[in-house]
Amino acid sequence: MTNAILAADHIVKRFAGHTAVDGLSLTVPKGVIYGLLGPNGAGKTTTIRMIMNVIVPDEGSVRLFDAPGTARDFSARIGFLPEERGLYPKMRVLDVLLFLAETRGVNRRAARAKALAWLERLGLADWRMRKVSDLSKGMQQKVQFISTVLHEPDLLILDEPFSGLDPVNAQVIRDTILDWARAGRTVLFSTHIMEHAEQICDHVCIIARGQKRVDGTLSEVKRLHGGRHLSVAFDGTPGGAAQVFGDRRLVAKVEDFGQYAELELTPTADAQDILRALVASGTRLSKFELVAPSLHKVFIDLVGADAARADARPEVARA
Amino acid sequence: MRKVLAIIRREFVERVRTKWFWVGTVLGPLLMIGIIGFQILLSTKKGGERRIAIVDGTTTEYGRRLVTQLGTAVSRFHMRRVTPNPRTDSLLLDEVEAKQLDGFLLVGDSTLDFGVAEYRGSNVSSVVDMEELQGALRRLIFAARLERHGIDTLLVKQAQIPIHLATNKLSGRKLTGVSGGQSFGVGVGMAIILFVAILMYGVNVMSSVVEEKSTRVVEVLVSSLRPFQLMVGKVVGAGAVGLVQLAVWLGSAKLLTGVRWRPADAAGGMGFQFPSIPTATLLVFVVYFLLGYFLYAAIYAAVGAMSSTEAEARQAQVPVQLLMMIPYISFFALLNDPNSSLAVWMTLIPFWSPIAAPVRYGATRIPPVELAGSIALLVAAVLVVTWMAARIYRVGILMTGKRPNLKEIVRWVRVG
């Protein structure tokens, strides 16, 4: 493997009663933003923990930086944001950052300058001498995010980086991740929110029930698994649109959002026929566009059934 | 190694920053000064003035003399003689009730003949008062009885010169100048300090482990350090705090030993002196503190790793604490008979020796072979226990939810 920064080869993890990750393989090329997508309980966190060597795979192997060794051996080159966040509540913000940087092999003085710059950048400069417990949840998340990038790792591994953040702060983190990738570094992050993935990912890997459903570049995945799609928005009421959408000769699938709808066309359908039918039905259109499917759509198609089933099973204790 | 230093540093700095560290560090010497002050208070003030009525039921001349002598026997007891009549009892009870009187002593002929007397009062629980009263009675009755048999009063007086048993601890063949009381005090003091310090710093390690577990910081840490490095860093860091605190305590104790306090009016030159601690004892103390701390801190780290919350951990550590309490509560037996087989066993068994050995060493001379054996066994135990604890720790820190049972823990150690 030439430029793979991270390669997991048929990794398996079984817990009492079920298999969390079942023969998953994935390859993360250098310099991309890689999204690990899946519904709740799909095995994203378990996969990331195996990559980080926090838990050891029952089968299979993980190779980092195309070299032998575990994540611990490369700890200076990896930034890791675990799913369950947490910092020392009684420590001062700056001290926590310096300490975590030290455990990654950065000396305190260098870490200090960088930590102050990052705190400034994320709007936390005034909080540097406060205790972590004085900060709001969102601020704590930002502090923890800083701790994952402070040592300027080549590879960022972020488990659900946007969860619990308001849109403004999510934007800040998203921009940071994009900057990071532009600088030639690699980011792997997990999420179950497709909008986040769609905005920034170059590559995606969709998993469900511990198995890979699809992976590749975002455009590939959309092209191969999305089908032909129409995006329709209404000006006022949908009128008789529902009838047109129900025509199984033209429309394979509908996602109706009320004011707009996403249609997947049947292989033989012509978009012109639908447009004609809609106009004839008295629907006032504000938008009629042939589009690539949203990642959301691809995701629902691929794992929708699994996700519904997975939800019925309680989250099992992780080890 | 630099990573382990970071762990040690954090553990040390964060602990020293807490107000509990300062409270504990300052409170230790203050407590010592307090104890000394209290001792001084006791040695000067023998108790307050007491008003006591003597209900004189004697009929003989010897009896009357006894009552007269009793009236001036103890200077702080103001005695008043009362002749008994049917109403005496209730009158005196009224006076005691009104706090005009502390109590009354019933004496009769039988006091002289059979040594029977009765004291009724509000101060009977005062050991000092009762001992003095009884002492005065014994002395006077003894003299009166001898005199009744025609023995010369002067002779009796000479016979009554009090005996003062001076005690001096032997170490090797040397007189140490440490009295029995002081030696006992040093032993008790060491038992308390060792027990409290090992327990306190062990529990600190445990809390720190649980904190990292419950806040999930541990997941980030184990992605850059081996669990063993993390555990060692914690144990050493918290131990360093303990050493600093102990140094402050021992340093102030050493300073206080220089202070000899002798009250001007104390009878018989009995002042109070803080016992001096020989350097060898101090050395033994520090060695056992460190080894004992490492032994128990490793256990506490494992206990912390098994628990998900602080409350759960506190519950889980009770057996460990009980194990440590065995030598602590035996200190009286250890000091009373420092060469008994119980004492020897306690010196050798690693979980007990950290407290038992220094206490015993303070009281007697432990044969060098025995001391060496004790330390060797303790070092071996530290290594074995740390190895086992590290395996439990490694599995436990990433485990959440149900506390593992014994069978699972054994499996962790074996698979680890």
Side-chain angles (χ1 to χ4, degrees):
Chain A
M1 258 169 242
T2 45
N3 62 347
I5 260 200
L6 191 169
D9 185 26
H10 286 94
I11 49 173
V12 175
K13 186 71 200 179
R14 295 183 200 91
F15 295 126
H18 80 286
T19 305
V21 174
D22 190 3
L24 183 69
S25 296
L26 52 87
T27 305
V28 180
K30 189 177 184 310
V32 304
I33 300 181
Y34 192 101
L36 183 62
L37 316 176
N40 294 330
K44 301 185 294 290
T45 295
T46 307
T47 302
I48 287 179
R49 286 182 169 186
M50 282 191 279
I51 291 170
M52 290 311 297
N53 197 37
V54 170
I55 53 176
V56 181
D58 295 332
E59 287 169 33
S61 62
V62 173
R63 193 172 168 86
L64 290 156
F65 302 104
D66 206 18
T70 64
R72 203 171 285 145
D73 302 315
F74 297 112
S75 65
R77 298 179 65 188
I78 303 176
F80 173 43
L81 181 74
E83 180 205 25
E84 298 200 57
R85 309 295 146 74
L87 297 164
Y88 298 95
K90 287 175 221 144
M91 277 179 89
R92 291 181 195 149
V93 170
L94 186 60
D95 288 335
V96 175
L97 289 175
L98 296 187
F99 167 68
L100 289 173
E102 265 184 299
T103 65
R104 297 266 167 192
V106 184
N107 79 50
R108 282 180 80 81
R109 186 173 304 172
R112 192 183 183 83
K114 284 179 195 156
L116 291 173
W118 272 104
L119 287 168
E120 186 73 46
R121 178 170 173 183
L122 296 191
L124 290 168
D126 294 341
W127 297 83
R128 64 185 187 278
M129 294 313 269
R130 301 285 286 271
K131 281 184 179 174
V132 169
S133 55
D134 294 343
L135 271 60
S136 73
K137 262 252 165 70
M139 289 194 273
Q140 290 187 23
Q141 286 235 50
K142 287 202 278 183
V143 172
Q144 189 152 14
F145 180 79
I146 294 174
S147 78
T148 65
V149 294
L150 198 55
H151 55 294
E152 301 188 336
D154 299 320
L155 173 62
L156 266 187
I157 295 183
L158 312 169
D159 200 348
E160 304 278 359
F162 304 110
S163 76
L165 286 178
D166 63 54
V168 177
N169 282 313
Q171 180 77 45
V172 172
I173 300 295
R174 194 161 56 222
D175 293 347
T176 313
I177 293 174
L178 282 169
D179 285 351
W180 209 252
R182 266 185 220 122
R185 299 182 172 116
T186 313
V187 181
L188 177 142
F189 78 98
S190 77
T191 185
H192 57 265
I193 300 167
M194 294 307 123
E195 286 71 19
H196 290 146
E198 185 145 28
Q199 286 165 358
I200 59 175
C201 284
D202 306 305
H203 275 62
V204 292
C205 173
I206 297 179
I207 65 171
R209 299 176 71 80
Q211 290 169 330
K212 179 162 72 186
R213 289 300 149 96
V214 64
D215 67 347
T217 64
L218 186 62
S219 51
E220 249 171 38
V221 167
K222 281 189 181 183
R223 198 178 64 237
L224 294 176
H225 299 273
R228 289 185 306 148
H229 287 257
L230 261 180
S231 176
V232 179
F234 311 112
D235 184 10
T237 54
Q243 220 169 350
V244 180
F245 293 167
D247 189 343
R248 285 285 156 257
R249 284 171 304 166
L250 297 171
V251 180
K253 243 180 207 171
V254 185
E255 280 205 65
D256 198 338
F257 299 103
Q259 285 302 303
Y260 71 99
E262 263 193 48
L263 313 182
E264 185 182 338
L265 304 187
T266 57
T268 54
D270 185 351
Q272 293 301 322
D273 295 339
I274 296 175
L275 179 59
R276 249 193 305 276
L278 282 174
V279 172
S281 74
T283 309
R284 293 193 67 82
L285 296 171
S286 62
K287 178 179 158 192
F288 184 87
E289 190 185 3
L290 267 169
V291 290
S294 66
L295 191 58
H296 177 86
K297 178 81 177 47
V298 175
F299 183 78
I300 297 288
D301 287 353
L302 283 170
V303 304
D306 286 318
R309 226 176 312 149
D311 278 347
R313 191 191 58 199
E315 289 264 316
V316 193
R318 314 155 200 281
Chain B
M1 193 57 217
R2 216 165 72 186
K3 293 179 179 180
V4 180
L5 281 178
I7 303 286
I8 295 173
R9 189 197 145 94
R10 191 198 84 85
E11 209 62 44
F12 185 84
V13 171
E14 291 302 314
R15 296 236 167 269
V16 170
R17 273 193 188 156
T18 59
K19 58 175 171 289
W20 290 115
F21 173 79
W22 294 100
V23 169
T25 307
V26 175
L27 220 57
L30 279 183
L31 204 70
M32 271 187 273
I33 293 169
I35 291 171
I36 295 165
F38 187 67
Q39 296 271 15
I40 290 168
L41 212 71
L42 280 189
S43 67
T44 43
K45 254 182 119 178
K46 291 276 189 211
E49 313 271 295
R50 296 279 181 271
R51 283 178 303 260
I52 295 169
I54 302 171
V55 182
D56 183 7
T58 57
T59 53
T60 60
E61 199 217 328
Y62 283 113
R64 204 142 297 146
R65 275 225 339 248
L66 174 72
V67 171
T68 322
Q69 285 170 340
L70 203 55
T72 55
V74 182
S75 57
R76 68 186 181 90
F77 288 169
H78 301 287
M79 302 289 202
R80 181 179 103 210
R81 187 176 163 277
V82 181
T83 4
N85 62 53
R87 287 182 50 237
T88 320
D89 221 40
S90 77
L91 275 173
L92 288 172
L93 284 173
D94 286 345
E95 279 189 62
V96 173
E97 182 82 21
K99 299 209 186 303
Q100 290 163 345
L101 207 60
D102 289 293
F104 50 98
L105 181 70
L106 307 173
V107 277
D109 289 335
S110 61
T111 308
L112 213 51
D113 296 336
F114 307 109
V116 182
E118 189 184 349
Y119 179 78
R120 298 171 184 167
S122 55
N123 59 333
V124 286
S125 59
S126 162
V127 179
V128 180
D129 285 2
M130 291 308 102
E131 263 181 6
E132 274 195 68
L133 194 61
Q134 192 172 355
L137 264 175
R138 187 191 299 124
R139 217 164 53 238
L140 294 173
I141 292 171
F142 180 69
R145 280 185 188 159
L146 288 177
E147 278 168 37
R148 201 158 62 169
H149 290 281
I151 307 229
D152 181 35
T153 326
L154 199 70
L155 208 62
V156 172
K157 268 216 170 83
Q158 277 177 349
Q160 278 185 331
I161 288 171
I163 296 146
H164 179 68
L165 176 69
T167 50
N168 199 333
K169 191 195 151 203
L170 278 173
S171 178
R173 298 187 57 81
K174 291 195 299 271
L175 277 173
T176 57
V178 178
S179 77
Q182 286 170 338
S183 180
F184 186 82
V186 170
V188 175
M190 284 201 300
I192 294 174
I193 293 179
L194 281 166
F195 178 72
V196 170
I198 293 177
L199 183 75
M200 192 162 73
Y201 292 107
V203 168
N204 273 352
V205 170
M206 180 182 81
S207 307
S208 168
V209 171
V210 175
E211 187 194 22
E212 275 173 9
K213 224 186 128 168
S214 61
T215 58
R216 312 296 173 136
V217 180
V218 71
E219 208 167 308
V220 176
L221 294 179
V222 293
S223 74
S224 51
L225 287 106
R226 282 189 291 123
F228 184 71
Q229 293 177 309
L230 194 55
M231 187 178 107
V232 166
K234 275 190 179 312
V235 169
V236 172
V241 179
L243 268 187
V244 168
Q245 206 158 45
L246 270 189
V248 172
W249 290 354
L250 290 179
S252 49
K254 206 68 178 157
L255 277 178
L256 286 170
T257 57
V259 182
R260 177 180 263 275
W261 200 87
R262 195 191 291 267
D265 59 340
M270 291 262 290
F272 176 80
Q273 195 201 351
F274 196 87
S276 73
I277 306 158
T279 316
T281 307
L282 217 57
L283 196 71
V284 167
F285 175 86
V286 171
V287 166
Y288 275 96
F289 166 72
L290 281 178
L291 290 173
Y293 166 74
F294 282 126
L295 182 72
Y296 278 98
I299 299 178
Y300 273 111
V303 171
M306 288 175 211
S307 320
S308 302
T309 61
E310 180 83 33
E312 208 179 293
R314 288 203 177 270
Q315 220 171 30
Q317 63 90 40
V318 170
V320 184
Q321 197 176 339
L322 288 178
L323 186 68
M324 207 191 317
M325 265 180 82
I326 292 170
Y328 175 62
I329 56 178
S330 319
F331 74 79
F332 194 80
L334 288 173
L335 290 168
N336 216 18
D337 192 356
N339 293 314
S340 63
S341 57
L342 171 90
V344 173
W345 278 112
M346 285 211 164
T347 314
L348 291 176
I349 293 174
F351 294 100
W352 299 342
S353 61
I355 291 174
V359 169
R360 216 183 128 207
Y361 191 88
T364 185
R365 186 174 158 276
I366 302 179
V369 181
E370 208 178 301
L371 197 65
S374 161
I375 291 176
L377 279 172
L378 186 54
V379 168
V382 168
L383 294 176
V384 171
V385 166
T386 306
W387 178 81
M388 283 173 63
R391 293 185 147 230
I392 294 173
Y393 181 80
R394 188 152 101 192
V395 183
I397 43 173
L398 295 170
M399 209 60 112
T400 51
K402 179 174 93 52
R403 199 160 88 201
N405 58 35
L406 206 62
K407 218 170 87 187
E408 283 169 301
I409 292 169
V410 170
R411 197 168 52 87
W412 291 2
V413 172
R414 282 174 48 201
V415 180

